[in-house]
Amino acid sequence: MESGLPLIRHPAQGFNASQQLIKSDRGSMLTMSDDNVMMKQIVGTHAPDGREVDVKPLLLLVEDILKRATQQIDTSLTTSQAHAELEDKTHQVNFVSMLDALSYTIDRISCEIAYKALGGTDAHATTVSLFNMLTSYSWDAKLVLTLSAFALNYGEFWLLAQIYSSNQLAKSMAILRQLPSIMEHSGPLKPRFDAINNLIKVMMDVARCVVEFKDLPPAYISNEVPALSTAMAHIPTAVYWTMRSVVACAAQITSLTTMGHEFSISTNVAWELSTLAHKLSNILDHLRKQLDTCYQYIDEKRNVESFQMLKNLFEMIHIDNMKVLKALIYAKDDIQPLIDGSSKKRVHLDVLRRKNVLLLISGLDMSNDELSILEQIYNESRHQGARLNSQYEVVWVPIVDRSVQWSDPMKGKFESMQSSMPWFTVYHPSLIEKAVIRFIKEVWHFRNKPILVVLDPQGKVVCPNALHMMWIWGSNAFPFTSLREESLWKDETWRLELLVDGIDPEILNWIKEGKYIFLYGGDDEEWVRKFTNTARAVAQAARIPLEMVYVGKSSKREKIRRVIATITVEKLSYVWQDLTMIWFFWTRLESMLYSKIQLGKLDDHDPMMQEIKKLLSYDREGGWAVLSNGSNVVVNGHKTTALQTLLEYDLWKEQVPVKGFDLAFRDHQGRIHDIARPCCRFDFPMTTGRIPETMKCPECNRTMEKFSTFLCCHDEVIPDELFK
């Protein structure tokens, strides 16, 4: 390299040459205002011959040299990662042959820079000469080859500086380079070395950025994309100023080895280098913005492609469920993407092969009520596994908004939920790709409210959301297919067990004993007091065995707590003290409605469905009461008609011996209802996946009016599916 050049010059001669370099460099930086003219000259030297040079391994080598030359230069890679990648690349046959082909060019550049610096040539002129030398190479190759030539000289300088005190050969060479003198005066030289190191860091950042543009996949982005076309138009400028910075840094090292430390006393080198660093930083910021935009564009294109591939995948027939599960959860085999809920160990997707898989899809806001009830049903089904036709597994798929930065509270919430689940869970939300999240939202209608998508052993979707039937029938709904859901509805009747099954065995005992039972709800304490006292008095007068149970309301949890406290203190009736039981009662009712919506049979002429819709509507309108005689539901009424019927007992008590209490009550309540006719109302949260376009009124069978409502009840956080 520089060994072909004289190492010792007359002090005055060296000083004048270096001064001329700095003077001309400063002048050209300040006076060349028309960058377009300058860049036209540079672009005019560019005549690539089509050869492809993979500069990435060469850039890694340069990065390693500059990093080891001085610890003040940062890299984008960790030491171990860079070293491993470097070892891998430099031992490849292709890389070795590439170096053989390029070493002559690198030597020429190195000698050209050193010769021009010693001769005091203008920095711009030196840079142009390099471009003329590299005319047939691509822009990224020009830049990396020039940096390689610089790394060769800079690395040699610092190698001698690091070992000359312990190696005699290095010591002799260092003396020729005036290194001992330079190192002895390293204190005054520190600003200059700091400025060089800072400039080198920016140079390497620009080089990495330029190479990244070259590596953008042409299958997903072309020059027609504005961000890429803008960047490509600016890359010649970025390459020019980086190569010019190389010339400036090399000039400083050359001046030191020819003039010694005295050179620094008479020049303001740090200002020159920091000016170049500032200019390069501005160029780098602009390129990085364009690069980020390009990556976003590519990401969107890939997401669209992946989304379509997912849709196509679910239209195909498979021999097992592995392709589908890999596409949804994690496609590679390099990690174990699942946590086994029973052992808390990581496992591969193979544990789900040819099994019925229930994908529990939710955000991190799934309520404790939902989790506890779901866990109860899951554990019961595990114990009943022998009677089930085949085994099924549940997998929690956490969906997190990628636009929200992952935080410690989110991490804590995720880990807490994951550790509490007895089934399989995805190891981390980041494994779920954007295209999968889009598919889950658009095709499976996920809207933050949990859903349970059922895949058969071949990976086919057999139910878009089995959560409704699981709430209603528990493990009896296995294998949780839509066909099974329809079959269960055909066997179902309007009876009290449908409302309370799996919640409270005490009520089931009352049913067996053939008692009259009032299920009632609402949040009006005065109405509750008046209703229960009147009902008890009527039951005594009619001499019937009557039990009453308060089941709360689907929302306003704090008000429900107060009502429960009043009922308990005044001993008004039986009451569910556990709010989870109340939550589950209303969740099951709402699931009955959603189940019918999902099956497309919401407005079928089904008397049972009409009663369920009435009950949900009455809850929204304030309060209600359901009277049953054992299992048989007699009346499902609004709070006003139910209480008025009891208050007017004297008007219909003569009918009790004739018709029986249940029918006499029903007939009188029916007459009051025909006069009162309360409004019917249904609220569907926007988080509900499938909201019906139209809905028939359960009272008059006319199409209901549709409104958009904003509502806040100032209550504590309650389950997502309950409309606040």
Side-chain angles (χ1 to χ4, degrees):
M1 313 296 186
E2 287 184 73
S3 57
L5 299 171
L7 295 177
I8 301 176
R9 295 172 62 90
H10 190 278
Q13 185 183 0
F15 177 79
N16 290 337
S18 300
Q19 281 287 73
Q20 183 182 352
L21 167 68
I22 294 169
K23 182 178 178 182
S24 62
D25 194 39
R26 179 187 296 151
S28 59
M29 285 175 66
L30 295 176
T31 59
M32 190 171 290
S33 58
D34 192 351
D35 273 359
N36 291 330
V37 174
M38 178 186 71
M39 288 314 302
K40 191 173 181 180
Q41 179 188 13
I42 297 300
V43 172
T45 67
H46 186 59
D49 58 9
R51 77 181 79 180
E52 286 295 326
V53 180
D54 181 12
V55 297
K56 285 185 293 184
L58 192 57
L59 184 61
L60 272 175
L61 196 60
V62 170
E63 203 166 12
D64 188 67
I65 292 170
L66 296 178
K67 175 182 176 295
R68 295 178 191 280
T70 168
Q71 295 302 313
Q72 297 179 50
I73 302 173
D74 298 324
T75 73
S76 61
L77 301 169
T78 62
T79 303
S80 58
Q81 182 187 359
H83 183 71
E85 244 184 285
L86 182 65
E87 287 291 317
D88 181 52
K89 290 287 185 183
T90 53
H91 285 87
Q92 290 179 7
V93 176
N94 291 343
F95 179 67
V96 174
S97 61
M98 183 191 72
L99 274 181
D100 286 342
L102 296 177
S103 59
Y104 173 72
T105 303
I106 293 171
D107 275 347
R108 281 190 64 202
I109 298 169
S110 176
C111 292
E112 180 77 4
I113 293 173
Y115 177 77
K116 297 285 188 185
L118 288 167
T121 306
D122 173 80
H124 171 67
T126 302
T127 308
V128 171
S129 71
L130 296 180
F131 275 102
N132 286 325
M133 191 182 297
L134 297 168
T135 184
S136 60
Y137 291 93
S138 60
W139 292 108
D140 61 315
K142 295 180 202 289
L143 180 54
V144 175
L145 287 170
T146 303
L147 284 168
S148 300
F150 171 70
L152 208 55
N153 282 343
Y154 195 66
E156 182 185 343
F157 176 85
W158 281 108
L159 178 62
L160 289 176
Q162 290 172 10
I163 68 170
Y164 80 90
S165 60
S166 59
N167 184 289
Q168 187 57 47
L169 175 61
K171 184 176 182 180
S172 298
M173 291 180 65
I175 291 171
L176 285 175
R177 293 268 191 173
Q178 303 192 57
L179 273 174
S181 174
I182 293 170
M183 292 299 105
E184 285 173 12
H185 296 84
S186 58
L189 290 172
K190 188 177 185 302
R192 182 194 296 200
F193 284 125
D194 286 345
I196 292 173
N197 291 340
N198 289 335
L199 182 53
I200 289 173
K201 180 183 183 304
V202 183
M203 284 158 44
M204 292 304 299
D205 287 341
V206 172
R208 280 190 291 269
C209 193
V210 169
V211 171
E212 279 190 69
F213 274 109
K214 181 70 178 294
D215 281 348
L216 293 178
Y220 295 100
I221 193 167
S222 68
N223 278 330
E224 294 175 0
V225 177
L228 182 56
S229 60
T230 300
M232 296 311 290
H234 282 82
I235 279 178
T237 304
V239 172
Y240 168 80
W241 283 107
T242 307
M243 288 172 62
R244 175 127 166 211
S245 298
V246 167
V247 171
C249 289
Q252 300 310 313
I253 300 302
T254 300
S255 65
L256 279 172
T257 56
T258 55
M259 276 296 300
H261 69 279
E262 297 164 354
F263 173 64
S264 64
I265 299 171
S266 55
T267 60
N268 190 7
V269 173
W271 182 89
E272 300 290 346
L273 299 178
S274 64
T275 300
L276 281 167
H278 179 71
K279 187 172 188 68
L280 270 186
S281 294
N282 289 336
I283 293 171
L284 178 63
D285 287 344
H286 176 75
L287 286 180
R288 276 179 172 166
K289 286 177 184 176
Q290 302 306 319
L291 187 61
D292 288 342
T293 305
C294 287
Y295 280 138
Q296 288 172 13
Y297 180 87
I298 293 168
D299 198 34
E300 288 170 7
K301 293 272 284 186
R302 281 179 168 154
N303 285 338
V304 169
E305 183 180 78
S306 299
F307 175 76
Q308 192 57 49
M309 286 175 62
L310 266 176
K311 291 180 72 175
N312 295 340
L313 192 64
F314 278 94
E315 293 171 0
M316 298 164 62
I317 298 173
H318 308 280
I319 58 171
D320 63 22
N321 53 8
M322 281 295 96
K323 277 189 178 180
V324 167
L325 291 174
K326 283 187 174 183
L328 288 172
I329 296 173
Y330 190 71
K332 300 177 186 176
D333 295 321
D334 56 340
I335 66 168
Q336 296 170 305
L338 298 179
I339 297 286
D340 185 337
S342 56
S343 66
K344 303 304 178 187
K345 293 181 179 178
R346 292 181 67 169
V347 294
H348 285 289
L349 287 171
D350 280 340
V351 297
L352 305 174
R353 188 184 296 273
R354 293 193 180 93
K355 290 185 178 181
N356 293 284
V357 177
L358 280 60
L359 300 175
L360 176 60
I361 301 168
S362 80
L364 301 183
D365 53 355
M366 196 172 180
S367 73
N368 292 330
D369 290 334
E370 286 173 304
L371 284 173
S372 63
I373 297 295
L374 195 58
E375 183 177 350
Q376 181 182 327
I377 295 171
Y378 175 82
N379 290 334
E380 286 175 2
S381 70
R382 297 287 100 174
H383 296 138
Q384 299 167 356
R387 74 172 182 80
L388 297 178
N389 295 328
S390 61
Q391 191 70 7
Y392 74 86
E393 298 292 351
V394 177
V395 180
W396 179 44
V397 181
I399 302 298
V400 175
D401 186 352
R402 292 291 185 91
S403 65
V404 177
Q405 187 174 2
W406 186 252
S407 62
D408 287 339
M410 291 171 70
K411 179 175 180 287
K413 178 64 175 173
F414 167 73
E415 291 176 350
S416 174
M417 290 178 67
Q418 188 179 56
S419 64
S420 69
M421 293 179 177
W423 44 78
F424 291 103
T425 63
V426 172
Y427 173 66
H428 194 273
S430 61
L431 296 185
I432 310 301
E433 295 184 356
K434 288 181 180 179
V436 176
I437 294 174
R438 180 188 169 192
F439 180 85
I440 287 171
K441 289 182 176 180
E442 292 187 17
V443 179
W444 289 348
H445 304 285
F446 172 71
R447 299 290 185 274
N448 297 325
K449 181 179 177 180
I451 61 173
L452 193 67
V453 179
V454 183
L455 307 178
D456 71 6
Q458 287 72 46
K460 179 184 176 183
V461 177
V462 290
C463 184
N465 187 7
L467 209 53
H468 308 313
M469 68 174 112
M470 187 170 274
W471 292 146
I472 302 167
W473 296 289
S475 58
N476 289 331
F478 183 86
F480 309 108
T481 65
S482 296
L483 288 174
R484 176 61 175 160
E485 191 172 12
E486 288 194 53
S487 174
L488 288 166
W489 274 121
K490 286 177 183 177
D491 296 338
E492 200 57 79
T493 57
W494 179 234
R495 56 200 175 97
L496 197 60
E497 288 93 334
L498 178 63
L499 300 179
V500 299
D501 191 27
I503 301 177
D504 190 353
E506 184 67 23
I507 299 176
L508 299 180
N509 290 333
W510 295 342
I511 292 172
K512 290 176 184 176
E513 294 168 8
K515 291 183 176 181
Y516 285 93
I517 303 168
F518 261 129
L519 247 65
Y520 70 98
D523 59 358
D524 185 339
E525 288 184 44
E526 188 54 39
W527 179 86
V528 167
R529 187 180 288 111
K530 198 168 186 179
F531 172 78
T532 51
N533 288 331
T534 306
R536 189 175 294 106
V538 168
Q540 289 173 352
R543 297 181 180 180
I544 59 165
L546 176 68
E547 298 289 351
M548 292 179 285
V549 56
Y550 175 72
V551 297
K553 188 176 175 64
S554 65
S555 60
K556 301 184 179 179
R557 183 168 281 203
E558 284 305 312
K559 277 193 173 183
I560 301 308
R561 281 197 177 98
R562 290 195 290 271
V563 174
I564 289 173
T566 299
I567 293 171
T568 304
V569 170
E570 299 181 21
K571 299 179 180 179
L572 299 176
S573 75
Y574 181 66
V575 63
W576 289 342
Q577 298 286 348
D578 186 355
L579 292 180
T580 300
M581 294 171 70
I582 292 175
W583 172 86
F584 191 40
F585 174 84
W586 289 105
T587 296
R588 288 182 75 253
L589 269 179
E590 290 182 339
S591 292
M592 293 173 197
L593 179 65
Y594 293 138
S595 173
K596 286 289 187 177
I597 292 172
Q598 186 167 279
L599 292 172
K601 298 184 177 181
L602 177 64
D603 288 325
D604 283 1
H605 297 292
D606 178 0
M608 176 173 55
M609 201 62 229
Q610 300 306 313
E611 294 301 324
I612 291 168
K613 287 161 71 175
K614 282 182 189 178
L615 190 50
L616 288 168
S617 175
Y618 294 157
D619 172 63
R620 297 295 193 267
E621 289 299 314
W624 54 275
V626 167
L627 175 65
S628 75
N629 183 359
S631 177
N632 181 43
V633 176
V634 180
V635 167
N636 173 17
H638 190 267
K639 69 176 186 178
T640 54
T641 61
L643 178 56
Q644 190 174 346
T645 302
L646 290 172
L647 291 171
E648 294 178 359
Y649 175 65
D650 288 341
L651 299 179
W652 54 273
K653 66 182 179 181
E654 301 298 332
Q655 299 297 318
V656 173
V658 179
K659 299 179 179 179
F661 180 83
D662 49 354
L663 296 182
F665 183 95
R666 184 191 67 186
D667 291 347
H668 192 77
Q669 191 269 347
R671 285 191 289 272
I672 296 172
H673 177 78
D674 289 340
I675 299 171
R677 279 287 175 120
C679 292
C680 284
R681 169 186 164 191
F682 297 94
D683 296 321
F684 291 95
M686 295 305 293
T687 52
T688 301
R690 290 175 169 84
I691 300 175
E693 287 297 320
T694 61
M695 195 166 179
K696 295 287 184 65
C697 174
E699 298 281 2
C700 65
N701 206 39
R702 286 184 291 192
T703 300
M704 301 177 74
E705 292 183 86
K706 192 173 181 179
F707 296 88
S708 293
T709 305
F710 296 89
L711 185 65
C712 180
C713 297
H714 323 297
D715 208 353
E716 67 174 22
V717 176
I718 62 177
D720 215 23
E721 67 280 356
L722 302 182
F723 190 57
K724 298 193 282 284

